[in-house]
Amino acid sequence: MLNEDYPDRGNVGPTPAMTSRADETFLDYIADLRSVLMMSPAKKVHPKANAVIEAEGIETKATAESVEAVRDVVRRKLPEAGVWARVYRSTQQAFWNRVCESYGLREDAFLRMLEESDQSGPGSVEWDPDYVYPDYAKVEIHLQPGGYVGHPLAGLRYDYGTRVFGGKVSENDYLHKAMAAKVPTPRDGRVERIMDIACSVGKLTCALKERFPQAEVWGSDISAPMVRYAHYRAIEQGQTVHFLQKAAEDLDALPADHFDLVTVHILFHEVPTPVVDRTIANVYRLLRPGGTFWISDFPSLGNDPHGLHYTNLLGAIDSADNSEPYAPEFVRSNVEAKLQKAGFSLRYENPADMNVHGRVCDKPMKGE
Ligand SMILES: C[S@@+](CC[C@H](N)C(=O)[O-])C[C@H]1O[C@@H](n2cnc3c(N)ncnc32)[C@H](O)[C@@H]1O
């Protein structure tokens, strides 16, 4: 990305590099810190914290009172969990600030880049500059400044930020490519049209196109900055993918019985329950008979005791510190039951295995 004040440092895969080497080094350090200190200690800290919370009889909810009660007991009875949560939040604030500052130095150049890619191919993007976002979509999920919709470079920020957030597990889109490789196909094997809902920067969308090169592949997301940047990113990879700014609960304009495969990766725990319910109904309408719906997300406690992991420490402190206010509501629901009620037949679900299998269901063939 050329700008007369800064040298072009190129891309990291399809993602524009940080503006300076110093920014990159700092962010690598934070990513490594999160991997080393956060990921493995978290496995030890969470069960201990959950045991303390349960022993104290605290009901965990995503309310301020509940979060405070959890913090209080964790501070008193298990200081290491309190430190874990504090460091987790601090590293998160630190990396978002640096990502926003670093890209911000070249904001004009990035805006021009998006304007150019809006008009270019392969593939396409449709978005509405006057789109009115519902309030829930403005939440600063993961503490990202401006959230998904509040800044024109939100997609770019999210792309680099999530590399750091996950301790580089999604480096070079490995995670999404691995997921795409395992996404199930309809029982008759026909995959001609795919829709990836809440596609964000289009990593899964492009990985699906790579796996099914003959298919027409679409990605939709409520956020204009996300779909615009997803399109830029797809062009960088030479992928013909079509992106649409559309809310998952508002896909009525798309044809019924149309898609062979619909995917939704980690949307449901970030939105209120009525959005989940309307999305499930919409997907049922969009899929052709025999079509397949794949959902990858947190487990539902309603269906699996593993969900407990997400309700106690994570449900309270993480929901607050990572700013995921709807996650506890989702975890307490029973998505499998909702899918069946909507008419799907459940083929497979493994809630403990969220990034790989999640839930797979099929729209019955006519007469089934
Ligand atoms: C965690 S990200 C999804 C990640 C993405 N599926 C992936 O695999 O990289 C959540 C995305 O959902 C989008 N979103 C939030 N509410 C939405 C809604 N009602 N309909 C469609 N997209 C929504 C956000 O803009 C954001 O891009």
Side-chain angles (χ1 to χ4, degrees):
M1 175 55 34
L2 283 173
N3 176 308
E4 54 198 37
D5 295 328
Y6 302 100
D8 183 7
R9 302 190 62 254
N11 278 14
V12 189
T15 310
M18 285 288 100
T19 300
S20 74
R21 176 74 194 133
D23 293 337
E24 201 169 286
T25 307
F26 176 78
L27 291 167
D28 282 353
Y29 162 72
I30 296 279
D32 292 343
L33 181 66
R34 286 174 72 88
S35 295
V36 174
L37 293 178
M38 301 291 98
M39 302 301 181
S40 40
K43 289 199 182 93
K44 294 186 185 134
V45 164
H46 288 188
K48 279 200 215 162
N50 287 344
V52 169
I53 292 163
E54 269 164 49
E56 293 280 313
I58 294 172
E59 200 196 341
T60 55
K61 296 186 198 143
T63 60
E65 296 75 31
S66 173
V67 171
E68 248 341 282
V70 170
R71 280 198 208 288
D72 181 56
V73 70
V74 160
R75 262 188 225 117
R76 283 187 290 108
K77 306 257 171 173
L78 198 70
E80 70 256 43
V83 170
W84 176 87
R86 184 61 244 167
V87 177
Y88 184 78
R89 186 181 172 102
S90 305
T91 57
Q92 207 159 325
Q93 286 166 325
F95 78 69
W96 283 122
N97 289 342
R98 184 61 77 96
V99 167
C100 296
E101 255 173 52
S102 186
Y103 279 150
L105 294 170
R106 291 177 291 160
E107 185 163 321
D108 290 351
F110 285 126
L111 292 175
R112 282 197 302 277
M113 170 191 99
L114 290 178
E115 273 157 30
E116 274 163 32
S117 63
D118 279 355
Q119 311 303 326
S120 315
S124 61
V125 62
E126 275 177 49
W127 62 283
D128 174 2
D130 301 320
Y131 194 88
V132 179
Y133 292 101
D135 283 343
Y136 77 81
K138 297 178 192 161
V139 173
E140 295 189 334
I141 300 276
H142 308 141
L143 305 179
Q144 176 173 340
Y148 296 129
V149 303
H151 191 277
L153 300 187
L156 195 66
R157 293 170 167 187
Y158 176 81
D159 190 12
Y160 208 102
T162 47
R163 282 177 85 234
V164 183
F165 178 90
K168 292 205 203 153
V169 285
S170 59
E171 190 88 340
N172 294 322
D173 300 0
Y174 288 140
L175 189 68
H176 289 79
K177 286 183 179 166
M179 277 192 293
K182 294 197 175 173
V183 165
T185 51
R187 291 189 191 284
D188 60 13
R190 200 181 89 203
V191 183
E192 288 166 7
R193 296 190 199 105
I194 302 174
M195 168 59 84
D196 180 30
I197 291 178
C199 63
S200 76
V201 301
K203 290 183 185 180
L204 180 63
T205 335
C206 284
L208 286 167
K209 178 69 185 175
E210 225 173 282
R211 176 171 166 202
F212 301 103
Q214 305 309 323
E216 183 183 291
V217 178
W218 292 82
S220 65
D221 197 286
I222 198 169
S223 158
M226 289 289 166
V227 289
R228 293 182 74 200
Y229 177 68
H231 176 54
Y232 159 82
R233 219 175 177 277
I235 293 173
E236 286 294 290
Q237 294 167 84
Q239 295 284 14
T240 306
V241 175
H242 305 285
F243 292 98
L244 272 182
Q245 181 190 18
K246 285 259 177 237
E249 66 276 28
D250 181 27
L251 296 170
D252 302 350
L254 300 182
D257 295 344
H258 190 68
F259 291 95
D260 303 287
L261 180 63
V262 175
T263 55
V264 182
H265 177 231
I266 57 173
L267 167 72
F268 283 0
H269 73 276
E270 294 187 357
V271 290
T273 302
V275 175
V276 173
D277 296 349
R278 288 219 29 216
T279 302
I280 291 174
N282 267 328
V283 173
Y284 191 84
R285 193 187 71 85
L286 292 178
L287 279 171
R288 54 109 170 153
T292 296
F293 183 21
W294 178 80
I295 304 159
S296 162
D297 216 304
F298 289 0
S300 304
L301 182 60
N303 191 45
D304 178 24
H306 288 110
L308 264 179
H309 175 69
Y310 292 88
T311 52
N312 291 341
L313 182 69
L314 279 175
I317 291 184
D318 184 62
S319 163
D321 286 353
N322 188 24
S323 183
E324 299 216 322
Y326 304 108
E329 178 175 314
F330 173 74
V331 170
R332 285 195 174 79
S333 71
N334 186 336
V335 183
E336 290 71 24
K338 288 180 187 208
L339 290 165
Q340 282 168 312
K341 197 162 163 232
F344 284 107
S345 71
L346 212 53
R347 195 195 300 183
Y348 176 82
E349 50 85 12
N350 182 358
D353 191 6
M354 82 170 198
N355 280 325
V356 181
H357 293 293
R359 293 98 174 164
V360 181
C361 53
D362 298 293
K363 176 166 171 176
M365 299 295 281
K366 288 212 162 55
E368 254 182 1

